Amino acid sequence: NPNFLTFICAGNSGPSSRSIWDPATAKNIISVGATNRGSAADTLISWSSRGPTADGRIGPMVVAPGVDTVSSSAGNKKNGSCGTVVMSGTSMATPATAGAAALVRQYFKEGWYENGSK
């Protein structure tokens, strides 16, 4: 489907090359690696899986901060509370890239791209 784009975390098996595995090696997906955060956000974090894939393709295709990311937690079923948890991993970087891609797609689909207004 041309309107469907899948983002998959690259994995946390770095730092060696060829540490990216299925399903992040599938074709027609975007594999996501993790960077550090803050002033070190331009650095791939050591545990983020790396390419190339077994058949020589690059990977991960994009990276985003994936260290100490605040995420929702399941909470307590008994009292209905929910909260947050701090986690690290390529699975924490993947939602940020998927969200950014959705915003870019919306920008183009709504016709903002020529002069910044509809």
Side-chain angles (χ1 to χ4, degrees):
N1 185 333
N3 292 316
F4 193 76
L5 184 59
T6 304
F7 290 77
I8 298 177
C9 54
N12 304 322
S13 300
S16 61
S17 63
R18 297 190 183 271
S19 57
I20 189 170
W21 296 100
D22 295 337
T25 59
K27 294 183 179 176
N28 301 320
I29 60 100
I30 295 183
S31 57
V32 182
T35 64
N36 216 322
R37 60 183 302 173
S39 61
D42 61 348
T43 307
L44 193 64
I45 198 71
S46 64
W47 39 256
S48 184
S49 292
R50 293 157 167 74
T53 62
D55 63 358
R57 290 175 289 128
I58 63 166
M61 295 173 183
V62 296
V63 294
V67 176
D68 296 334
T69 304
V70 178
S71 183
S72 60
S73 66
N76 185 329
K77 289 183 181 181
K78 290 181 182 177
N79 65 14
S81 68
C82 61
T84 59
V85 63
V86 176
M87 298 177 72
S88 296
T90 57
S91 59
M92 295 290 103
T94 302
T97 58
L103 291 173
V104 169
R105 182 180 190 277
Q106 180 180 2
Y107 176 85
F108 285 108
K109 292 289 279 182
E110 291 183 359
W112 293 92
Y113 59 93
E114 294 194 22
N115 61 9
S117 62
K118 286 187 181 181

